[in-house]
Amino acid sequence: MSMAVAANILVVSPLQGRWRARYSPALSATKAAVGKQPIVTSSHAKTFRARTIRIAAAVIRDDSGKLLLVRKRGTSTFMQAGGKIEPGEAPATALARELREELGIVVDPAAASHLGLFSAPAANEPDARVEAELFELSIAGEPMPAAEIEEMIWLHPELARGIELAPLTADIVLPRYGRQP
């Protein structure tokens, strides 16, 4: 899918101490015409043809509201845990597989709450965009970095300044899901 219409982005603004989302007029019309949630794009959106990478990613919080973020080996950007969806693989199944491989976490795909489909520039591949099936879930036990994961942190969303974050994390996850519900 080409992200050629940069004007159709989600605008997120603080309102009465809570984050509230507004859709641009064109995106609202598209949403009404299609009758479902649109793909939400990052504010880093540009009008260009980019390779698309389909991923499943997790919003995982601890009891204090900190978000689990990971950094892949050889990179400097922190992002949601998860990874590429294989052809024919269900997004929640891909997420469970990636969490097991990368962090040693065993989760039931049915326990993951689907938050939506989001689009943002890929953090580590300048010529690509990610289309992310985003899920929220709880985990038991302490995750441990494995496979290509170099580092894992529990980040309090209000202390994110100064940390290099993937566009999906910075522009979509933190504003929409960074606060405890």
Side-chain angles (χ1 to χ4, degrees), residues 135-160:
F135 295 87
E136 186 168 30
L137 55 96
S138 297
I139 61 170
E142 185 63 29
M144 295 299 294
E148 71 264 19
I149 302 303
E150 177 82 19
E151 185 177 4
M152 173 194 94
I153 61 171
W154 289 98
L155 176 71
H156 195 286
E158 288 150 9
L159 302 177

Side-chain angles (χ1 to χ4, degrees), residues 57-176:
V59 174
I60 301 171
R61 287 190 200 90
D62 69 4
D63 293 337
S64 68
K66 293 177 187 167
L67 293 169
L68 176 66
L69 300 178
V70 298
R71 183 179 59 78
K72 292 184 178 187
R73 190 169 285 107
T75 68
S76 58
T77 307
F78 283 92
M79 62 189 64
Q80 306 319 119
K84 293 178 183 168
I85 301 170
E86 299 295 332
E89 187 176 36
T93 302
L95 182 63
R97 176 183 49 77
E98 290 286 346
L99 292 175
R100 185 178 62 255
E101 291 171 2
E102 295 179 349
L103 296 170
I105 300 170
V106 177
V107 298
D108 177 2
S113 175
H114 189 251
L115 298 172
L117 176 62
F118 301 89
S119 179
N124 300 313
E125 298 182 50
D127 65 332
R129 295 188 64 75
V130 293
E131 277 190 5
E133 295 282 357
L134 198 58
F135 295 87
E136 186 168 30
L137 55 96
S138 297
I139 61 170
E142 185 63 29
M144 295 299 294
E148 71 264 19
I149 302 303
E150 177 82 19
E151 185 177 4
M152 173 194 94
I153 61 171
W154 289 98
L155 176 71
H156 195 286
E158 288 150 9
L159 302 177
R161 184 166 260 155
I163 295 178
E164 191 173 339
L165 299 173
L168 178 71
T169 302
D171 297 341
I172 295 170
V173 173
L174 287 181
R176 292 178 67 118

